[in-house]
Amino acid sequence: MNDKENNVGYFSGNQIPDGAKPLAQAYAGHQFGHFTMLGDGRAILLGEQLDAMGKRFDIQLKGSGQTPYSRRGDGRATLYSMLREYLISESIHHLGIPTTRSLSVVSTGEQVFRGERHNGAVLTRTADSHIRVGTFEYARNFCSTEDLQALTTYTIQRHYPELTDTDNPALELLKAVMHRQIDLVVHWMQVGFIHGVMNTDNMSIAGETIDYGPCAFMNSYNPRTVFSSIDTQGRYAFGNQSYIAHWNLAIFASALLPLISENQKKAVDLAKEVIEGFQQTFTEKWYNMMCGKLGILNPKDKDKDLVDGLLSLMETNRSDYTQVFLALQQDKESDESLFDLAEFSGWMQKWKNEHLRDQGKTPSLELMKKLNPRVIPRNHWVEDVLEAAVQGDMAPFDQLLGLLSKPYDNHPDQLQFQQIPAGFDARYQTFCGT
Ligand code: AMP
Ligand code: MG
């Protein structure tokens, strides 16, 4: 469904559909900045599972058919899009980033119509939970304050039990969710991941990457990179992800206001103080991570110039985000023309002088190895293996999945998976909810 369709949904405005179960599969959300009533339109929550360690998971079917929230959608999913979620979510997991996981994709034998006929499939996914910012927006807008309180208490018990006995649990929840979101976006920036549709209904309170629709990985470094066909303004571009997380958290804060304080002004002041801390914390963590990609063990303020300088050269030169850091890590030149630039040699000299001179090389190298993946799901390979998979040949998919499950290891015999055909990304487009 495209965004336009979502906003003129089956139940217009803010109506709740008959039979809606508060808080189970209902949620609202801000999609591209506009508030709308949503809910799981093509997903069914089967239940919860406790693992051997007592950790609780949701198990959900995606693409299993219409629900009370389907609006004009068919509730189905294509085999292509469910395999795409499987591949990318597993890759994100193996890159060390919190995410929902994919247990299986099963063909339904049914045809799904998306402009033309496609094979249908159901994905079984697991998640820490499916509670999102949009769940709180739903409770705030369509339920009582007691319901909002019940949701908050449940969320704290499930995801942040350490906050239970604090003086202001709702405010503490806001802080804790903010910190997990900051960590998540910093992780995405580490590997060049673009979520693509960071609507508030796609932001997990547990801090997992959720809802793999138009997501993709950036190859050439450019903070304005967007692949989603509907993101014409670049709202969810690579370099905007922190701003959007910040915006989404402000929405989360406003949903929590009645629980933060009965005095509205006080509630707003307290929430504002938390939200205003976002940018500084994000920037610090982001620079720390970027310095780590450069092997800088104890980053100092002046190291920020090194990060900024490199990114600016990479952007001008359209350098591959993954390959440049790998080349630095391996202390060799990559094929990137960046390495021929006089300006870059100057940067390199500065980097080596300032940071490698006095440091034992090993810990610095170990840090780089942890932060610089050798393999990411390159867009054209993702499309190639999915194309083969929907035609019935799973071997290339399995091969790529195998590689992506060890992204920080060296795979010298499989370097082809890191090549990008010239011009491919310029015309590459991804789609929501196919
Ligand atoms: P997403 O972009 O995947 O986060 O989906 C946005 C909203 O559209 C959610 O409420 C989905 O449940 C709903 N949706 C997406 N695809 C379909 C579909 N084929 N049928 C019904 N609802 C859908
Ligand atoms: Mg969603």
Side-chain angles (χ1 to χ4, degrees):
M1 291 179 85
N2 65 33
D3 184 55
K4 199 164 155 227
E5 282 167 344
N6 284 335
N7 285 326
V8 291
Y10 171 70
F11 36 95
S12 61
N14 295 333
Q15 250 176 286
I16 308 175
D18 287 345
K21 290 232 175 3
L23 313 181
Q25 296 197 228
Y27 52 84
H30 276 79
Q31 298 194 302
F32 287 84
H34 302 285
F35 182 70
T36 188
M37 174 65 210
L38 291 159
D40 284 331
R42 57 168 177 168
I44 292 284
L45 206 49
L46 288 186
E48 295 167 5
Q49 174 77 35
L50 282 179
D51 73 6
M53 310 296 289
K55 189 168 157 38
R56 189 177 294 273
F57 295 95
D58 276 7
I59 302 183
Q60 195 187 58
L61 301 181
K62 186 167 173 181
S64 48
Q66 287 182 319
T67 75
Y69 307 98
S70 296
R71 295 171 287 167
R72 290 179 298 177
D74 58 5
R76 308 263 174 221
T78 62
L79 177 61
Y80 164 91
S81 62
M82 294 302 95
L83 285 175
R84 193 170 191 280
E85 168 152 350
Y86 190 109
L87 189 70
I88 308 229
S89 65
E90 287 305 286
S91 162
I92 286 284
H93 168 74
H94 292 293
L95 283 161
I97 304 175
T99 175
T100 61
R101 301 281 310 267
S102 298
L103 272 184
S104 68
V105 173
V106 178
S107 282
T108 57
E110 289 174 341
Q111 299 284 294
V112 175
F113 193 74
R114 298 284 183 267
E116 54 190 59
R117 289 183 183 283
H118 295 268
N119 290 330
V122 173
L123 169 84
T124 306
R125 75 175 173 190
T126 61
D128 269 1
S129 84
H130 286 84
I131 304 170
R132 324 128 188 269
V133 169
T135 319
F136 282 80
E137 291 178 82
Y138 176 84
R140 174 75 202 270
N141 286 284
F142 304 118
C143 305
S144 65
T145 306
E146 290 71 39
D147 288 331
L148 180 65
Q149 179 65 68
L151 172 65
T152 304
T153 305
Y154 176 81
T155 303
I156 288 175
Q157 275 166 5
R158 184 156 176 180
H159 296 300
Y160 301 92
E162 66 283 5
L163 306 181
T164 308
D165 295 324
T166 51
D167 288 345
N168 192 335
L171 189 67
E172 294 306 320
L173 178 65
L174 174 62
K175 287 184 204 164
V177 170
M178 184 170 99
H179 284 287
R180 281 202 200 170
Q181 284 304 325
I182 288 174
D183 288 341
L184 183 64
V185 176
V186 168
H187 263 126
W188 292 350
M189 308 299 282
Q190 176 212 325
V191 298
F193 178 73
I194 308 167
H195 182 283
V197 62
M198 291 173 69
N199 294 329
T200 54
D201 53 297
N202 291 339
M203 187 192 253
S204 153
I205 294 296
E208 292 186 314
T209 313
I210 189 168
D211 261 350
Y212 290 81
C215 60
F217 281 71
M218 175 182 66
N219 294 313
S220 297
Y221 176 72
N222 184 339
R224 288 177 300 285
T225 307
V226 173
F227 294 112
S228 168
S229 61
I230 60 168
D231 192 3
T232 48
Q233 305 294 312
R235 179 180 169 92
Y236 300 133
F238 178 72
N240 270 0
Q241 300 189 109
S242 69
Y243 304 114
I244 293 295
H246 191 182
W247 192 91
N248 289 349
L249 284 156
I251 299 288
F252 182 47
S254 63
L256 287 171
L257 285 180
L259 308 184
I260 292 175
S261 172
E262 284 173 5
N263 175 327
Q264 202 182 359
K265 183 176 177 318
K266 191 170 166 208
V268 170
D269 287 348
L270 287 169
K272 248 174 109 179
E273 196 185 327
V274 174
I275 295 296
E276 281 172 3
F278 180 100
Q279 203 52 53
Q280 194 186 344
T281 310
F282 176 82
T283 305
E284 267 166 33
K285 289 197 171 185
W286 178 79
Y287 271 121
N288 253 340
M289 175 278 290
M290 293 302 293
C291 285
K293 281 175 81 68
L294 292 173
I296 300 170
L297 294 169
N298 299 302
K300 304 198 174 38
D301 248 7
K302 66 178 166 73
D303 297 326
K304 292 178 180 172
D305 291 344
L306 271 179
V307 171
D308 295 342
L310 176 62
L311 289 181
S312 151
L313 284 167
M314 283 170 68
E315 184 178 347
T316 315
N317 207 56
R318 300 184 184 172
S319 308
D320 187 87
Y321 191 62
T322 304
Q323 293 304 344
V324 168
F325 286 99
L326 267 186
L328 294 173
Q329 174 180 314
Q330 293 163 349
D331 201 11
K332 65 172 198 199
E333 297 196 358
S334 79
D335 297 341
E336 294 287 337
S337 53
L338 177 72
F339 285 74
D340 299 330
L341 294 181
E343 261 180 299
F344 182 72
S345 307
W347 178 89
M348 184 91 131
Q349 207 49 55
K350 201 168 151 212
W351 173 57
K352 288 196 169 175
N353 290 348
E354 291 186 17
H355 297 290
L356 297 182
R357 192 184 49 211
D358 300 325
Q359 282 175 4
K361 271 199 163 185
T362 311
S364 167
L365 190 61
E366 287 312 309
L367 183 62
M368 292 178 93
K369 282 184 183 167
K370 272 195 219 146
L371 293 172
N372 297 324
R374 289 170 188 263
V375 276
I376 56 164
R378 300 285 186 174
N379 299 324
H380 75 291
W381 280 110
V382 169
E383 296 309 322
D384 277 6
V385 306
L386 289 175
E387 185 56 36
V390 297
Q391 302 297 331
D393 179 7
M394 289 300 293
F397 181 98
D398 290 339
Q399 190 191 2
L400 183 58
L401 186 62
L403 199 62
L404 294 172
S405 65
K406 293 193 169 80
Y408 297 100
D409 288 4
N410 203 1
H411 305 273
D413 51 334
Q414 309 212 28
L415 292 177
Q416 77 276 17
F417 281 110
Q418 288 313 296
Q419 286 154 10
I420 320 130
F424 182 89
D425 277 11
R427 43 175 207 278
Y428 186 52
Q429 276 205 323
T430 56
F431 301 91
C432 278
T434 44

